[in-house]
Amino acid sequence: MFPDTPQARASSRTHPRSSSRISDSAQRLVTSPDYVGPPSGTERAVAKYQHYVSLDLNAVDSLTLLRVPGIGPAFAHRILSLRSRLGGYYTVLQLQEVYGMDADRFVQLRPWFAVRTPPRQHPLSALRADSLPWHPYLNRAQLQGLRLGVLRQGRRLSWRHLRQSPAFSREDSIRLAPYFPDSLHSVH
C-alpha cells in the first residue's frame, strides 16, 4: 500500500515505463497520449431502488434487476440466464439455484420478487414422443421415462402414471409439474 500523500498518489498514477496516467474520473480510466477516454457525459450509473418494489421475476429485464440493491450486471445476467433455461420461474425460491446465491443474499433479495407470470408449460397430454422439449430439470433417464409414458399413455399421460416409473420421484414431480402440467389448465 502506498502512503496517502499527494506525491504517492501522483507516482501511483504514472506507469514507470510509459506515459500512461489514470484519470481522476470515477471510473479510474487508464489514459495515454493516444487515448483520452470516452466523451464526457456517457457514464450512466443505474440508480438503485430506495424502497421495496415487487417485481415479476418472469417479466423483469436486466436494467430493472440492476436497480435492485445487491444485484450487479453479472448477477442480473445469471438470474436471466437461469430464467431462460428453465422457461421461467414458478416460485421465487428458485432464485436459490442461481450460481453465487448464498442464503444471506437470497434472504436480502427475496422480498423484491414475486412470480405473477407462469413459466412456459408443456402439457403432458400434448407431448410427442419424437419431439420432447429439453428442460434442465430432466435427466436422461427421465427423458426416456417421459418418452415411454407418451408412447404408452398418449394424451392420457399424467403425473400419476409417471410417478410409477423409477425415473421420477415425488420431488421430481413437484419440481417438474409447473413446466409439464397434467393439462394446460391444471398445475400440479
Side-chain angles (χ1 to χ4, degrees):
M1 244 11 232
F2 290 105
D4 193 37
T5 64
Q7 294 81 11
R9 283 192 296 263
S11 68
S12 70
R13 291 186 188 133
T14 304
H15 191 277
R17 286 179 260 177
S18 75
S19 60
S20 295
R21 289 184 53 84
I22 298 176
S23 72
D24 287 329
S25 73
Q27 293 185 347
R28 311 295 288 169
L29 293 173
V30 176
T31 61
S32 74
D34 299 325
Y35 178 73
V36 294
S40 62
T42 59
E43 307 89 24
R44 288 186 282 164
V46 177
K48 297 290 186 178
Y49 287 119
Q50 299 300 316
H51 304 285
Y52 281 113
V53 177
S54 180
L55 303 170
D56 183 357
L57 198 49
N58 286 333
V60 70
D61 62 11
S62 61
L63 292 176
T64 306
L65 282 173
L66 290 174
R67 296 191 64 199
V68 175
I71 296 180
F75 210 66
H77 175 75
R78 291 181 202 153
I79 291 169
L80 296 178
S81 178
L82 180 60
R83 180 179 78 186
S84 176
R85 287 193 323 266
L86 290 172
Y89 295 99
Y90 71 89
T91 177
V92 174
L93 298 175
Q94 287 176 287
L95 278 177
Q96 296 173 96
E97 298 174 29
V98 173
Y99 179 77
M101 180 72 74
D102 59 18
D104 292 337
R105 187 177 233 178
F106 174 72
V107 168
Q108 174 194 2
L109 294 177
R110 183 179 182 181
W112 290 91
F113 299 103
V115 175
R116 291 185 207 88
T117 307
R120 182 166 183 222
Q121 297 180 341
H122 308 278
L124 293 175
S125 61
L127 294 179
R128 292 182 37 185
D130 61 343
S131 60
L132 293 175
W134 177 87
H135 195 276
Y137 287 169
L138 285 172
N139 62 37
R140 186 176 298 188
Q142 290 168 334
L143 271 172
Q144 185 60 27
L146 192 55
R147 182 173 285 109
L148 286 172
V150 169
L151 290 172
R152 290 180 183 156
Q153 299 296 325
R155 294 182 141 318
R156 295 173 300 153
L157 183 62
S158 69
W159 279 105
R160 185 176 53 83
H161 296 114
L162 289 174
R163 279 195 299 261
Q164 293 172 1
S165 164
F168 292 99
S169 67
R170 179 181 178 277
E171 289 79 18
D172 293 326
S173 68
I174 292 169
R175 186 180 306 112
L176 288 163
Y179 301 102
F180 297 90
D182 283 340
S183 69
L184 189 55
H185 301 294
S186 70
V187 176
H188 199 220

